[in-house]
């Protein structure tokens, strides 16, 4: 694919992170210090259950509500955005952002074929549901992981072979005069979600990505905080085969994926 790659180093059994510049040592750190050198922050948290009562509405009001909700920018079709920007790199995508008979339906995940002479592909899928945090940040995180894995499976991914990556965007979790009601329920998803994904066959539940904390803005006496949000991404290798689809009479063959 004509992409430059640089060998940055190799793994050893020394137990140290050893960085050199022009043959001279510039860093020599014990890996125990790299991983555990900074004391972990322990923040007290309190969770209050929110009760939501379902309300029945007349059919006409419900139809108007659904129409209004689907017209919101966070919910409506992203086709105009997808077609505005070039998503193709060296004709490498197999499952593109829009699919279907008329190529107007959003796909569940992306499948890229990086090597022209190989049937090996790469599946990338995501899950994110920030508004769920209004109800519960624990279940928001679990649902983001669930959504990413479902999207991955929908394009042929196999949960027996997949890696995950989480990226947090969070408001200030440290209680202070500026943050009297800090949100700290983020870490509690880890153990049960890792157990459930491991039971499903996921070899590596999650690696930590780029986390962003203290996403707050103060304007006068008003403080605006983002909703606690997790973006969960999964990636895995897959094998692709050519197979006909009966409902596409004008196209003799297409691609589907099978994780290997």
């Amino acid at each position: 694919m004509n992409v430059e790659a640089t060998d940055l180093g190799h793994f050893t059994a020394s137990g140290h992170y050893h960085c050199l510049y022009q043959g001279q040592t510039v860093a020599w750190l014990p890996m125990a210090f790299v991983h555990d050198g900074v004391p972990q922050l322990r923040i007290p948290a309190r969770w209050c259950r929110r009760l939501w009562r379902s309300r029945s509405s007349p059919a006409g009001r419900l139809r108007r509500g659904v129409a209004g909700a689907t017209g919101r920018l966070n919910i409506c079709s992203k086709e105009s955005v997808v077609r505005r920007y070039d998503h193709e790199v060296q004709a490498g995508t197999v499952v593109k952002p829009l699919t279907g008979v008329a190529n107007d339906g959003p796909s569940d995940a992306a499948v890229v074929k990086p090597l022209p002479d190989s049937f090996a592909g790469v599946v990338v899928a995501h899950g994110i549901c920030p508004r769920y945090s209004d109800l519960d940040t624990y279940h928001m995180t679990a649902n983001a992981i669930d959504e990413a894995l479902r999207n991955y499976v929908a394009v042929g991914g196999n949960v027996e072979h997949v890696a995950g990556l989480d990226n947090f965007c969070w408001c200030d979790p440290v209680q202070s005069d500026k943050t009297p009601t800090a949100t700290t329920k983020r870490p509690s998803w880890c153990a049960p979600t890792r157990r459930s994904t491991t039971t499903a066959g996921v070899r590596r539940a999650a690696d930590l990505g780029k986390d962003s904390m203290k996403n707050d803005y103060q304007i006068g006496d008003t403080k605006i905080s983002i909703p606690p949000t997790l973006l969960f991404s999964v990636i895995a290798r897959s094998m692709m085969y050519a197979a006909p689809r009966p409902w596409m009479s004008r196209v003799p063959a297409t691609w589907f994926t099978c994780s290997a």
Side-chain angles (χ1 to χ4, degrees), residues 3 12 35 38 71 73 96 152 191 197 209 212 216 220 223 240 245 247:
V3 177
T12 69
H35 290 292
V38 178
L73 294 178
K96 302 180 184 297
Y152 166 71
T197 52
S212 178
D216 308 275
K223 180 181 179 181
M240 297 176 292
R245 288 186 183 179
W247 51 268

Side-chain angles (χ1 to χ4, degrees), residues 32-210:
F33 174 79
V34 173
H35 290 292
D36 303 316
V38 178
Q40 294 298 303
L41 188 64
R42 300 183 65 88
I43 307 173
R46 182 181 62 184
W47 178 65
C48 298
R49 179 185 297 274
R50 295 188 180 185
L51 300 178
W52 300 85
R53 292 181 298 177
S54 60
R55 294 179 298 177
S56 59
S57 300
R61 182 183 301 176
L62 183 61
R63 283 194 294 269
R64 290 193 298 271
V66 171
T70 54
R72 297 175 184 172
L73 294 178
N74 286 334
I75 301 177
C76 69
S77 171
K78 306 301 186 295
E79 181 179 2
S80 62
V81 178
V82 172
R83 298 195 184 281
R84 190 176 306 161
Y85 298 97
D86 182 16
H87 58 268
E88 196 71 47
V89 178
Q90 297 188 1
T93 58
V94 176
V95 177
K96 302 180 184 297
L98 299 175
T99 58
V101 177
N103 287 323
D104 60 353
S107 59
D108 297 290
V111 180
V112 181
K113 185 174 180 289
L115 302 176
D117 58 347
S118 172
F119 284 99
V122 177
V123 179
V124 181
H126 305 280
I128 187 171
C129 44
R131 291 300 298 271
Y132 212 121
S133 293
D134 293 343
L135 303 177
D136 188 278
T137 55
Y138 175 99
H139 293 293
M140 177 277 296
T141 302
N143 274 271
I145 297 173
D146 178 77
E147 180 186 9
L149 289 171
R150 288 176 184 270
N151 288 337
Y152 166 71
V153 172
V155 296
N158 186 348
V159 293
E160 292 290 339
H161 185 88
V162 60
L165 178 72
D166 58 57
N167 287 271
F168 287 102
C169 286
W170 223 257
C171 44
D172 193 347
V174 180
Q175 193 171 23
S176 64
D177 293 338
K178 292 184 177 181
T179 312
T181 56
T183 302
T184 58
K185 202 188 173 187
R186 174 177 70 100
S188 59
W189 67 272
C190 296
T193 306
R194 284 179 184 271
R195 285 196 298 269
S196 62
T197 52
T198 302
T199 302
V202 180
R203 298 307 182 202
R204 300 177 66 187
D207 288 330
L208 290 176
K210 178 184 177 299

